[in-house]
Each structure stands twice: as structure tokens, then as C-alpha cells.
Amino acid sequence: MKPIKNRLISAVKAGQAVLGWDDATYRSVIARVTGGKTSSTKCTLEELESIKEYMHQQGFPRKTKKHGRRPNVAMTRKAVLDKIEALLTDAGRPWQYAEGLAAHMYKQHIIEWLTDEQLHGVMVALVNDARRRKRTP
């Protein structure tokens, strides 16, 4: 859990530098987004994600590859992940699209953290999307 939090804190600090925020502005943004906390080290993972998303909305660029990073999951879940990857490739969509579906459906932005049932639900949503795209000319 710690490495993820440290990476998010680093990303938030990088966002502060890129956006050119002084310390007062940075702390006021954290307080506004988290409901009163003024230090990124005191924030939860969800609060750090919210702060980072707010920074993206303010102009902090997202650093991702063209199609994003393929999630690393257990062997028992590889088949479902392979199907999701095939559906995304067929639709010409990046991994962020599947992450967005997971966020919308289950309030979870990270594919690796989904349960087996949730991962299957994302796959079903992509199958339904593929059917819908094939129906419309």
C-alpha cells in the first residue's frame, strides 16, 4: 500500500510544480478537495486520486502511453483481461476507457483492484458496446 501512496504523493507534488502553485495555493487546494486536510501525507489514496484529478482539470498533463498500461492481474484472471484487451483493441480504445468504465460502474479506478465479478462486469459492458457498434452503420 505504501508504494502506491508514495507514487501518488510524488505525482501531486509534480503537479504542484508543473502548475506553478506556491505552498499556500497547494495547501488550499488540498484543503478544498479533502475537506480540511492541508498535507498530502495525511490524505487517503482516494483523496490523493481526487487531488490529482483536480490538477489534471487545471492543466497538469497526463503522462500515459497511447493505449495505456496493461494491468497486471493474477493468472486466474488473465483470460478475462485478455478478452477486455481484445475488445478495447477492436474498438480502438485505450486502457483508460476500461478504467473509466470500472470507475463509473464500481467507483474503482484501478483495474487490478476489481473483484472477479467486477472484472467480468467490465468485460460484459465492453461486449455490449461492441454489439451496439456493430448494429449501427
Side-chain angles (χ1 to χ4, degrees), residues 2-137:
K2 194 142 180 123
I4 293 171
K5 185 171 184 175
N6 287 343
R7 271 188 269 145
L8 284 171
I9 291 170
S10 296
V12 167
K13 293 300 280 181
Q16 175 190 4
V18 168
L19 294 170
W21 291 349
D22 62 5
D23 195 55
T25 304
Y26 169 72
R27 292 188 185 280
S28 68
V29 166
I30 291 175
R32 186 177 39 219
V33 172
T34 63
K37 295 178 184 175
T38 58
S39 173
S40 60
T41 59
K42 305 280 191 254
C43 296
T44 65
L45 291 176
E46 292 80 22
E47 290 169 337
L48 288 168
E49 287 285 349
S50 298
I51 294 166
K52 193 171 111 180
E53 186 59 37
Y54 177 81
M55 289 179 157
H56 288 311
Q57 293 169 359
Q58 300 306 309
F60 177 46
R62 296 177 193 272
K63 304 261 181 176
T64 58
K65 298 174 188 167
K66 183 177 179 187
H67 289 288
R69 166 185 85 73
R70 185 179 201 271
N72 186 20
V73 296
M75 288 298 285
T76 57
R77 306 168 89 196
K78 291 264 189 225
V80 176
L81 198 67
D82 289 342
K83 178 72 172 178
I84 289 173
E85 184 174 33
L87 290 163
L88 290 171
T89 302
D90 184 49
R93 295 192 169 126
W95 275 104
Q96 286 79 14
Y97 186 82
E99 291 169 353
L101 276 175
H104 180 74
M105 294 168 69
Y106 305 112
K107 309 291 187 255
Q108 180 56 261
H109 299 276
I110 301 173
I111 297 286
E112 288 98 330
W113 294 356
L114 295 176
T115 65
D116 290 343
E117 294 81 24
Q118 291 171 335
L119 192 63
H120 186 266
V122 171
M123 182 192 69
V124 169
L126 287 168
V127 167
N128 291 337
D129 175 63
R131 286 185 187 143
R132 219 177 1 261
R133 279 185 295 105
K134 287 187 171 116
R135 265 196 312 232
T136 55

